[in-house]
Amino acid sequence: MTTSKQVPGLSPSDIAHFEGLMRGQRFDLERELGRQGDTLNAVRAARSGGDADDEHDPEGPTLSDEWSLRAGVHAELAASLAAIDAALVRVEDGSYGRCLRGGEPIGRERLEARPAAELCIDCARES
């Protein structure tokens, strides 16, 4: 639930809108993280098998390649989930919609594109 502090340009209904978007994204990310975790477990099991010599298979990626790909996707999803969780904390404490670096309001267009944005567009470009 949002607090009474308000960022210029964002009404309480705007903040509720973005909170809803992030909660939906969070749900989807958790589901996908579960799927990726299952896939990582399957690749881990295949890699640990005694007959897992796929390094010479010209027909497809090796188990090591598959592991690297899946681990990277899993890490990206986990980072996105952490960013959403941090933004939801900012909703709760009333600081949502303010740039963490400069303190100015983050534009509504940027929040529509990236509801969990921590930085205004100018600060993001500097990073």
Side-chain angles (χ1 to χ4, degrees), residues 9-44:
L10 292 181
S11 69
S13 65
D14 290 334
I15 294 172
H17 165 73
F18 292 121
E19 181 179 12
L21 286 177
M22 289 185 290
R23 290 197 185 280
Q25 289 174 347
R26 190 179 195 294
F27 177 82
D28 293 343
L29 283 168
E30 282 183 323
R31 187 175 53 214
E32 186 58 29
L33 266 170
R35 281 192 217 123
Q36 289 296 323
D38 292 344
T39 301
L40 280 171
N41 289 336
V43 172
R44 181 182 295 122

Side-chain angles (χ1 to χ4, degrees), residues 27-94:
F27 177 82
D28 293 343
L29 283 168
E30 282 183 323
R31 187 175 53 214
E32 186 58 29
L33 266 170
R35 281 192 217 123
Q36 289 296 323
D38 292 344
T39 301
L40 280 171
N41 289 336
V43 172
R44 181 182 295 122
R47 286 178 71 192
S48 67
D51 59 347
D53 180 20
D54 71 335
E55 298 299 321
H56 301 96
D57 180 5
E59 296 299 318
T62 65
L63 288 173
S64 294
D65 289 342
E66 187 68 17
W67 174 263
S68 293
L69 172 69
R70 297 298 173 183
V73 169
H74 191 273
E76 287 178 25
L77 292 170
S80 294
L81 186 62
I84 288 172
D85 286 343
L88 290 170
V89 168
R90 292 192 304 276
V91 167
E92 290 296 320
D93 72 15

